[in-house]
Amino acid sequence: MTGLFDLHCDTLYRAYTENSTLFNDSFHISMNKTRDLSPYIQCLAVWIPDEYRGEAALSLFRGCLGKMKEQLEGTDIVICRTAEDISAVAEKGGKSVILTVESGAVLAGELSNIPMLKREGVRMMTLTWNGKNELGDGIGVENAGGLSPFGKRALEEMEKNDIIADVSHASEKLFCDVAALARRPFAASHSDSKTVCPHRRNLTDEQFGIIRDKKGLVGLNFCRDFLNKNGTNAKMYDIIRNAEHFLSLGGEKTLAIGGDFDGADIPQDMTGIESMSALYEMFLQHNYNETLVRDIFFNNAADFFRRYEQCHI
């Protein structure tokens, strides 16, 4: 296998909240288990649960940030902050992480926290989790609305500060608001196809087409309930089924990996990051050419992050 650029995992959140490490071999992702991945770029999400607000949300973010810095100090794992960092890792075949946040509750209702996130290296933020926060409504809200007035201002400030807007978990109305207001491309970091598996968290064909047309990015989620209507039966092949549908919609340069490791129950024939080589080979065995598979596993995400930084407003 060649490289992997994974848009979403909850490994950092687990390491912090369980007083563990990024090298815990019982987790889906352990940095010890990534030796055959080169280059390897892993987005580490700080998940802010829906019940966290204000200082509690900020404190959780700071705790995870401190854990990441502590764990990576003295290692050869790079923290990518810029397009140049990503290009350097890609060229040298190194290992690196990108800090992201899952839920705009981390802002504690203050726009001034957006430049703070940028200073700390955050490159992407999921606007909501499943519930409601200061930015708007997630997919789990009954009779959900879209972006709040604060959310609209936050989206604008995020774009000014080079923080990618992530619409995984967004309500349909919030997705539509982002599509209408965003001046830069946006992502759904960990979402599958609603046509293949009609779960509320998945993307409709129309939503995927909007992201595609705006030159955004969609990461395939390995959560078994998002892959197959009968989640307990989900297998790696269901990832390919979802990929195949997105590719039929012209997603060759839109599709990436957003595994949701350490945040979801994964298919029964996967154990974690060490299963990625087998998934890569499965794509090849189903007659996908290697250039396309490399794009899905690494190049599309790397190109998106580089293009985003160059897309000034």
Side-chain angles (χ1 to χ4, degrees), residues 15-218:
Y16 174 68
T17 58
E18 297 178 24
N19 194 27
S20 186
T21 79
L22 296 174
F23 300 85
N24 185 335
D25 290 345
S26 72
F27 286 0
H28 287 157
I29 293 178
S30 163
M31 292 300 168
N32 293 327
K33 299 192 289 186
T34 62
R35 294 183 183 90
D36 66 334
L37 301 175
S38 178
Y40 173 50
I41 300 178
Q42 180 64 58
C43 290
L44 295 176
V46 177
W47 175 41
I48 309 295
D50 280 331
E51 62 269 23
Y52 279 67
R53 287 292 183 273
E55 183 55 36
L58 282 167
S59 178
L60 178 56
F61 170 76
R62 294 189 195 104
C64 290
L65 174 67
K67 170 69 75 170
M68 182 186 75
K69 291 179 176 178
E70 168 206 316
Q71 291 283 293
L72 300 183
E73 185 177 0
T75 73
D76 60 356
I77 301 169
V78 177
I79 300 174
C80 284
R81 293 172 170 268
T82 66
E84 286 185 359
D85 293 340
I86 291 171
S87 294
V89 171
E91 290 166 13
K92 296 175 183 176
K95 299 190 191 307
S96 66
V97 299
I98 293 174
L99 185 61
T100 70
V101 178
E102 188 173 24
S103 177
V106 73
L107 300 180
E110 298 290 340
L111 293 179
S112 61
N113 282 320
I114 294 174
M116 178 276 292
L117 293 181
K118 181 180 181 179
R119 288 194 301 272
E120 297 295 358
V122 172
R123 296 296 315 276
M124 181 165 63
M125 185 172 79
T126 317
L127 299 177
T128 67
W129 198 59
N130 290 335
K132 177 190 289 287
N133 65 24
E134 294 91 342
L135 281 71
D137 290 351
I139 196 64
V141 177
E142 191 173 348
N143 299 316
L147 285 170
S148 67
F150 174 78
K152 292 175 182 178
R153 296 195 301 272
L155 175 63
E156 183 178 1
E157 287 302 309
M158 286 169 64
E159 292 189 319
K160 289 179 182 177
N161 283 274
D162 298 325
I163 297 175
I164 298 160
D166 178 6
V167 293
S168 285
H169 292 280
S171 71
E172 290 186 11
K173 288 184 179 178
L174 192 144
F175 181 102
C176 289
D177 283 348
V178 173
L181 296 171
R183 299 170 65 188
R184 300 173 79 165
F186 58 92
S189 67
H190 55 303
S191 295
D192 294 322
S193 166
K194 191 169 282 187
T195 298
V196 176
C197 178
H199 194 284
R200 67 181 188 180
R201 269 278 285 106
N202 286 341
L203 298 172
T204 65
D205 290 356
E206 181 183 8
Q207 288 174 325
F208 183 84
I210 290 169
I211 296 172
R212 175 203 63 212
D213 292 347
K214 290 181 175 291
K215 301 190 183 305
L217 197 65
V218 173

